């Protein structure tokens, strides 16, 4: 009897292997016994407890019983609204649809910068009931944006270029595993790092990496912020200002927290959801769920501190003073209330956009970022895009672009690129202006940031050669 025939009898996909092994055992007894399996298997499905001690059907019966004990009661898949649908790939929809089928899912939304991620797509927003999904938070827990407006004249970006360059070159470090030679001071290192074994064992590494920027799409850059009208909350008049903008998260320790607790969640995942292991969840009432939640929040504090240190070191080297600023997470989970229910809102590459909430949405190394104020759209679970969103993989980008082909276009936009990977050039991203136009009902633009001096992780190529 093949898998299709077993499924037709009502055997769940996650128990097909056990059913086939049962038939193999019966075949060793006699051919007739194997043929009788077609009659016996429905009986096992109806009352598995009666077959736990059966020589052939015991494994199948136990699998059915164990899954019934472990499984949450599934409901109908949640529906969700999509922003910028025409620019989102099919695989992202598949990932979002799978997430909406989880028995713990209660609401969802998909942002216009959406593209494929691990489990939940980047740009996916998912509300769950009393459960947290490590991969729906993300590998880089609490990846965030921080913008600091400085007391420097705009023309100094040209007249004192070398001072700005040196500040970026020496104020932070880029690359996987990199750290500062001297540990940087910050109150976050006095927090309780014993909330989990992962954080306790990696505290020293986290301290060494405090104030560093990692690799991939992380950056630190100077640029010009343009404000069309005075903003009371920012404390700035209309005009142009020099600003420092950074993008990074919780570094190696954050990745370790995600990997560890996603593994624990996957090991506990009911068999019927085995194909969704990257969406494995932890019950917040469980010991592992409480540990992950505490570790995740510590990573939020650490990521914030990481940006604090970067901005402190860079501005000190430059001799500048911060006069205003905005910052926000975009890989995190929050306890919120939506539609009268207390839920856990995962924003995987999505910006919090509650009514009046400020945030930063970046473009690319040669395209603008935007300071935004949330409009509190309930359909998006008070969320917005976190950036432009990729349109191609890193592998494809490396095969498509070279610095000779893109260096001039970047320069024509007035950007001086100190270092970066070829897989981060503007062409690998969606048009940030189109992304912003798709979410006019989610945020309003407060200011525009145009990059002028950009530093990212070097991939061995030389953008300025």
């Amino acid at each position: 009897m093949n898998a299709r025939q077993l499924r037709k009898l009502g055997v769940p996909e996650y128990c097909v292997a056990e059913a086939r092994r049962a038939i193999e055992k019966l075949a060793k007894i006699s051919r007739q016994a194997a043929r009788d399996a077609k009659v016996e298997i429905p009986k096992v499905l109806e009352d598995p407890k009666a077959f736990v001690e059966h020589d052939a059907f015991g494994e199948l019966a136990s699998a059915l019983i164990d899954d019934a004990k472990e499984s949450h009661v599934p409901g109908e898949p949640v529906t969700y609204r999509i922003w910028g649908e025409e620019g989102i790939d099919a695989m992202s929809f598949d990932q979002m649809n799978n997430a909406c089928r989880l028995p713990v899912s209660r609401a969802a939304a998909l942002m216009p910068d959406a593209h494929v991620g691990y489990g939940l797509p980047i740009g996916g927003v998912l509300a769950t009931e009393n459960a947290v999904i490590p991969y729906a938070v993300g590998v880089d827990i609490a990846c965030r944006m921080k913008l600091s407006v400085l007391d420097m004249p705009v023309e100094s970006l040209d007249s004192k270029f070398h001072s700005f360059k040196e500040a970026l070159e020496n104020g932070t470090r880029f690359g996987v595993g990199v750290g500062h030679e001297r540990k940087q001071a910050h109150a976050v290192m006095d927090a309780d790092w014993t909330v989990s074994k992962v954080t306790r064992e990696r505290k020293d590494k986290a301290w060494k990496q405090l104030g560093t920027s990692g690799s991939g799409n992380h950056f630190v850059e100077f640029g010009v912020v343009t404000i069309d009208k005075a903003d009371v909350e920012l404390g700035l008049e209309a005009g142009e200002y020099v600003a420092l903008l950074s993008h990074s998260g919780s570094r190696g320790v954050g990745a370790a927290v995600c990997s560890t607790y996603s593994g624990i969640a996957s090991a506990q995942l009911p068999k019927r959801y085995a194909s969704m292991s990257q969406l494995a969840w932890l019950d917040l009432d469980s010991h592992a769920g409480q540990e992950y939640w505490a570790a995740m929040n510590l990573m939020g504090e650490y990521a914030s501190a990481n940006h604090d240190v970067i901005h402190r070191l860079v501005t000190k080297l430059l001799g500048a003073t911060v006069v205003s600023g905005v910052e926000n997470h975009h890989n995190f989970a929050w306890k919120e209330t939506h539609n009268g229910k207390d839920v856990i809102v995962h924003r995987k590459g999505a910006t919090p956009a509650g009514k009046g909430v400020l945030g930063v949405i970046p473009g690319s190394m040669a395209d603008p970022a935007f300071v935004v104020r949330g409009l509190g759209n309930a359909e998006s679970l008070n969320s917005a895009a976190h950036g432009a969103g990729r349109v191609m993989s890193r592998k494809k980008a490396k095969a498509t672009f070279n610095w000779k082909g893109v260096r001039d276009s970047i320069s024509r936009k007035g950007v001086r690129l100190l270092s970066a990977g070829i897989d981060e050039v503007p062409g690998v991203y969606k048009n940030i202006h189109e992304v912003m136009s798709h979410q006019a009902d989610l945020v309003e633009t407060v200011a525009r940031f145009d990059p002028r001096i950009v530093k990212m992780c070097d991939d061995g190529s030389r953008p300025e050669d």
Side-chain angles (χ1 to χ4, degrees):
M1 195 176 298
N2 59 34
R4 182 183 62 79
Q5 291 169 321
L6 288 169
R7 287 193 293 267
K8 191 173 182 180
L9 284 177
V11 177
E13 181 67 39
Y14 52 88
C15 288
V16 166
E18 286 85 351
R20 295 188 72 171
R21 284 195 290 270
I23 295 173
E24 289 172 2
K25 291 177 182 179
L26 291 171
K28 291 179 180 179
I29 299 173
S30 70
R31 291 184 179 180
Q32 185 59 47
R35 287 193 289 268
D36 289 344
K38 186 174 182 180
V39 176
E40 295 300 312
I41 285 176
K43 297 178 182 178
V44 181
L45 297 175
E46 183 177 351
D47 186 12
K49 291 181 180 179
F51 290 83
V52 171
E53 303 298 330
H54 194 281
D55 290 340
F57 291 118
E59 185 184 2
L60 173 59
S62 295
L64 291 165
I65 293 169
D66 289 344
D67 189 68
K69 288 179 180 178
E70 296 172 4
S71 296
H72 294 236
V73 177
E76 290 295 318
V78 300
T79 58
Y80 61 96
R81 184 175 161 187
I82 305 160
W83 280 261
E85 181 173 0
E86 61 273 21
I88 301 174
D89 61 282
M91 288 183 65
S92 294
F93 287 123
D94 289 343
Q95 288 188 321
M96 198 70 209
N97 292 337
N98 277 339
C100 288
R101 289 168 48 213
L102 296 176
V104 295
S105 296
R106 296 294 177 267
L110 195 59
M111 301 297 101
D113 59 336
H115 57 282
V116 174
Y118 290 103
L120 191 69
I122 310 300
V125 182
L126 185 69
T128 57
E129 184 174 352
N130 200 46
V132 62
I133 304 170
Y135 264 133
V137 170
V139 175
D140 191 8
I141 300 173
C143 188
R144 63 191 273 118
M145 302 296 305
K146 183 177 176 68
L147 180 141
S148 292
V149 181
L150 310 180
D151 64 341
M152 301 282 288
V154 170
E155 50 272 20
S156 65
L157 286 167
D158 291 320
S159 64
K160 295 185 176 182
F161 167 70
H162 290 290
S163 295
F164 284 93
K165 177 182 177 180
E166 290 302 312
L168 289 184
E169 298 282 11
N170 298 316
T172 186
R173 301 286 185 273
F174 285 87
V176 176
V178 301
H180 282 289
E181 293 180 4
R182 294 175 56 188
K183 292 179 178 178
Q184 301 298 311
H186 196 282
V188 74
M189 302 315 301
D190 295 324
D192 183 6
W193 283 73
T194 68
V195 294
S196 76
K197 180 181 179 182
V198 186
T199 53
R200 181 179 70 250
E201 292 182 346
R202 289 169 175 76
K203 182 178 179 180
D204 284 344
K205 179 179 181 180
W207 204 336
K208 183 179 181 181
Q209 292 190 326
L210 184 63
T212 64
S213 301
S215 59
N217 62 356
H218 294 162
F219 60 79
V220 183
E221 58 193 30
F222 287 110
V224 177
V225 166
T226 302
I227 301 177
D228 291 331
K229 60 180 180 180
D231 191 276
V232 175
E233 190 172 357
L234 287 175
L236 298 173
E237 296 295 324
E240 294 185 339
Y241 301 83
V242 171
L244 173 65
L245 182 64
S246 58
H247 174 222
S248 58
S250 50
R251 304 292 281 111
V253 65
V257 169
C258 176
S259 177
T260 298
Y261 287 95
S262 184
I264 293 172
S266 183
Q268 299 174 355
L269 192 65
K271 291 184 67 177
R272 69 179 64 186
Y273 299 106
S275 64
M276 301 184 188
S277 60
Q278 290 186 341
L279 289 167
W281 65 89
L282 293 168
D283 193 309
L284 282 180
D285 290 333
S286 69
H287 178 70
Q290 291 173 5
E291 272 195 355
Y292 174 79
W293 190 260
M296 182 199 71
N297 278 282
L298 176 60
M299 290 303 93
E301 295 175 27
Y302 175 70
S304 178
N306 197 36
H307 284 265
D308 282 347
V309 172
I310 292 171
H311 284 235
R312 182 181 74 205
L313 294 175
V314 172
T315 55
K316 183 178 180 180
L317 287 169
L318 186 62
T321 299
V322 176
V323 298
S324 184
V326 181
E327 58 187 311
N328 64 270
H329 289 337
H330 52 226
N331 274 17
F332 211 63
W334 290 261
K335 291 182 178 180
E336 299 178 359
T337 301
H338 292 274
N339 298 318
K341 292 184 178 180
D342 294 334
V343 291
I344 305 300
V345 178
H346 303 74
R347 293 187 176 93
K348 174 82 165 287
T351 301
K355 190 170 181 59
V357 174
L358 289 173
V360 181
I361 300 176
S364 74
M365 62 173 68
D367 294 305
F370 296 91
V371 178
V372 298
R373 181 173 280 113
L375 298 177
N377 189 316
E379 288 186 292
S380 73
L381 299 172
N382 293 341
S383 308
H386 87 306
R390 296 186 72 91
V391 294
M392 68 176 68
S393 68
R394 295 186 181 280
K395 182 178 180 180
K396 184 177 180 180
K398 290 176 181 178
T400 303
F401 297 102
N402 59 68
W403 286 117
K404 183 178 180 180
V406 299
R407 189 187 300 119
D408 289 346
S409 64
I410 292 172
S411 180
R412 283 196 299 271
K413 291 187 175 182
V415 176
R416 300 188 186 191
L417 184 61
L418 305 183
S419 62
I422 193 66
D423 53 357
E424 282 296 326
V425 298
V428 308
Y429 287 97
K430 297 179 183 181
N431 183 310
I432 186 61
H433 299 286
E434 292 180 3
V435 169
M436 295 301 295
S437 70
H438 286 309
Q439 55 181 0
D441 58 338
L442 304 182
V443 293
E444 61 177 349
T445 299
V446 175
R448 169 174 167 152
F449 171 92
D450 288 285
R452 289 291 178 264
I453 306 171
V454 178
K455 184 167 180 61
M456 304 181 75
C457 184
D458 195 348
D459 66 351
S461 58
R462 303 284 298 175
E464 291 192 324
D465 286 354

